[in-house]
Amino acid sequence: MLSCRQQISRLLFRNASTLARVQAAGYVEVQEEQGDLLRYPQVWLRDNCQCAECFHTATRARKSHWERGPLNIQVSQVAYNQEKEQLEVLWQDKHKSAFDISWLRERDFGEAARKRYLEEVYKPSAQLWGKSEFEAVRREFQYQDVIHQDAVLRDWLEALAVQGFAILKGAPNDINVAKHLAKRIGYIKRTTYGDVFEVKSKPNAGNYAYLMTPLPLHTDMPYYEYKAGINILHTLVQSESSGGANTLTDGFNVASQLQKLHPEHFEVLRSVPVNWFDIGHDGDDAKPFHSLWRAPVICLDVDGRITRINQNTTKRDSRFSISLEQAVSWYKAYDKFLETAQSEAVEFKTQAGDVFVFNNLRMLHGRTAYEDAPGNKRHLVGAYVDWDIIYSKLRTLKFPNAKD
Ligand SMILES: [Zn+2]
């Protein structure tokens, strides 16, 4: 019986620098001259063969499919072509593949390469902040720069992804500002409130936000499965009364603190679904709506990271479709969550011409009570955009030449 080393050397093709070899366990290794060892499952290489028969370059689409036979065909031979800088694979069914080393490097299964891709291309990491860090993380941009300069647009979108909020200064006194910003990113998110919504005190208000009372810390639309990604709030008229200030807390930071200091409460808020609801009518055409979504206060993504916070006292249903015991422990955990959120909340007051934009999946926002006066009626116009649209725009700005 051959030793492992002998097996490898039989399959090994060596050249002056980089070498490639098949491993018995079903992997192909490429040992680069400068030390990096790249390893790929054979089945993955076959699945991602870049030849014209297997891959349609113009549409960046894989053409291989089950009708053409299973993917788990064994490698017959591998070689590294120094001149073309390609890994060449001959398969047992005589199919041939060639992979550029640069293409392979970008798809390295090693931890560092995966992390780099997820942070640089997929989504920038959130920088969590508490009350004491607010001034340090606060970013401001000029409205006109965001509209006219791609580099500033990119910085603004990155701030929304990383710090979770930013303030634009110098917007004109125009009710279309929020709409223009949404279009500058891509597409506005149309909701049951219309394309845009006006926040001002209204007689016979259909929504709690349209009263002059304080608005407790909340996220918008927890009762939507596809909840709005960012909230763009343009201040046209600010209240001259002492109130009308914005309150803001980083909900991811609150959840993260809870996870460290009160893991049992975190677990409850992560797992117990709450019924969020909104019933009424609004928007240009005043169509009636009846929105419902069951979801925990803290939602995690596939990697176990905090991805969405749901909190809105005014939109939390008295119907709680869980067991008696769960309800009692949920209230204890929720109390701690709100206490932490309140203790980490900052307060600031936007001025006319400011556009306050924040991540609605992450930030809890609210406002203090105010008083309208004749000749001074607080007036904000808001619009939403989804994160799918924002991340896509951000990537096109960061990687304008991306091919696949
Ligand atoms: Zn192929």
Side-chain angles (χ1 to χ4, degrees):
M1 194 175 159
L2 292 171
S3 72
C4 195
R5 184 174 294 274
Q6 284 169 318
Q7 272 188 16
I8 288 170
S9 60
R10 274 202 330 165
L11 295 161
L12 177 148
F13 177 92
R14 201 186 164 87
N15 60 38
S17 53
T18 299
L19 68 91
R21 63 190 169 223
V22 177
Q23 273 211 327
Y27 300 101
V28 170
E29 285 188 348
V30 179
Q31 176 66 62
E32 292 202 272
E33 188 186 13
Q34 295 303 324
D36 271 348
L37 175 67
L38 310 171
R39 294 179 82 205
Y40 305 93
Q42 290 185 26
V43 67
W44 176 87
L45 287 168
R46 179 63 182 231
D47 181 36
N48 293 288
C49 177
Q50 298 289 293
C51 83
E53 203 181 306
C54 298
F55 192 77
H56 191 250
T57 309
T59 58
R60 304 170 182 89
R62 185 181 290 112
K63 288 163 75 182
S64 60
H65 48 82
W66 267 104
E67 290 86 335
R68 293 174 54 203
L71 290 167
N72 54 350
I73 294 159
Q74 295 300 302
V75 168
S76 175
Q77 226 178 324
V78 296
Y80 186 75
N81 187 320
Q82 179 71 19
E83 203 176 309
K84 292 183 178 168
E85 300 193 323
Q86 283 184 331
L87 169 72
E88 295 172 346
V89 181
L90 175 65
W91 303 89
Q92 285 186 355
D93 63 355
K94 308 294 179 212
H95 193 79
K96 282 181 188 169
S97 306
F99 303 93
D100 290 344
I101 189 69
S102 57
W103 185 94
L104 282 171
R105 239 181 253 130
E106 283 177 27
R107 287 153 182 81
D108 179 17
F109 279 81
E111 205 177 329
R114 279 186 282 146
K115 191 166 185 277
R116 193 167 55 240
Y117 179 74
L118 294 179
E119 283 178 8
E120 286 177 10
V121 184
Y122 183 54
K123 295 176 182 178
S125 291
Q127 176 191 0
L128 308 192
W129 55 269
K131 192 174 187 172
S132 60
E133 290 122 335
F134 176 64
E135 285 307 323
V137 298
R138 177 189 173 122
R139 304 281 310 275
E140 287 187 359
F141 302 90
Q142 290 300 316
Y143 171 79
Q144 294 297 346
D145 293 347
V146 167
I147 294 293
H148 298 293
Q149 297 175 35
D150 280 354
V152 181
L153 174 63
R154 176 184 159 170
D155 287 347
W156 173 49
L157 298 182
E158 264 180 338
L160 294 178
V162 175
Q163 285 85 27
F165 75 100
I167 294 160
L168 309 187
K169 308 292 285 185
N173 183 23
D174 174 351
I175 54 163
N176 293 310
V177 158
K179 199 183 268 187
H180 286 324
L181 283 168
K183 281 190 182 162
R184 174 74 171 125
I185 302 170
Y187 306 94
I188 205 163
K189 180 185 180 75
R190 193 166 164 75
T191 71
T192 35
Y193 314 117
D195 273 348
V196 296
F197 51 93
E198 294 195 71
V199 186
K200 52 185 174 183
S201 88
K202 298 174 187 175
N204 308 314
N207 189 302
Y208 201 79
Y210 305 152
L211 302 172
M212 287 188 272
T213 51
L215 205 50
L217 290 165
H218 67 282
T219 61
D220 285 4
M221 305 168 72
Y223 40 82
Y224 268 39
E225 179 173 4
Y226 307 108
K227 167 166 140 161
I230 59 163
N231 194 333
I232 301 171
L233 274 182
H234 174 210
T235 305
L236 285 117
V237 180
Q238 183 54 284
S239 176
E240 284 161 13
S241 74
S242 61
N246 300 83
T247 52
L248 186 72
T249 297
D250 182 352
F252 285 6
N253 182 53
V254 173
S256 171
Q257 282 195 30
L258 214 62
Q259 188 169 23
K260 281 186 211 117
L261 303 174
H262 306 281
E264 70 290 358
H265 291 333
F266 177 86
E267 183 50 28
V268 168
L269 293 181
R270 181 202 68 75
S271 59
V272 174
V274 178
N275 300 24
W276 308 100
F277 83 119
D278 193 27
I279 298 175
H281 53 83
D282 203 339
D284 319 329
D285 43 15
K287 277 187 188 160
F289 52 78
H290 188 154
S291 302
L292 286 175
W293 178 242
R294 281 182 87 223
V297 170
I298 299 168
C299 302
L300 304 186
D301 70 8
V302 72
D303 297 312
R305 278 188 287 240
I306 300 157
T307 188
R308 166 171 168 167
I309 301 293
N310 295 306
Q311 153 54 14
N312 196 325
T313 300
T314 68
K315 302 292 181 183
R316 185 158 47 74
D317 202 335
S318 49
R319 296 171 196 267
F320 206 172
S321 310
I322 56 169
S323 72
L324 278 173
E325 297 76 18
Q326 275 185 308
V328 173
S329 60
W330 183 85
Y331 275 101
K332 278 188 196 148
Y334 186 55
D335 252 2
K336 184 52 78 177
F337 179 86
L338 293 184
E339 183 194 315
T340 310
Q342 201 59 48
S343 70
E344 292 291 352
V346 296
E347 196 178 305
F348 59 96
K349 192 167 174 177
T350 57
Q351 301 303 315
D354 287 356
V355 190
F356 171 42
V357 189
F358 55 90
N359 181 349
N360 184 52
L361 306 186
R362 170 176 169 188
M363 294 294 147
L364 305 178
H365 68 287
R367 84 144 189 253
T368 61
Y370 66 98
E371 287 284 337
D372 276 349
N376 173 233
K377 291 193 181 301
R378 189 178 189 265
H379 185 195
L380 274 59
V381 174
Y384 299 120
V385 180
D386 282 326
W387 275 105
D388 286 325
I389 304 297
I390 302 162
Y391 282 128
S392 165
K393 182 67 183 183
L394 185 56
R395 290 182 203 115
T396 64
L397 292 167
K398 282 170 86 171
F399 311 104
N401 301 314
K403 290 191 180 66
D404 58 18

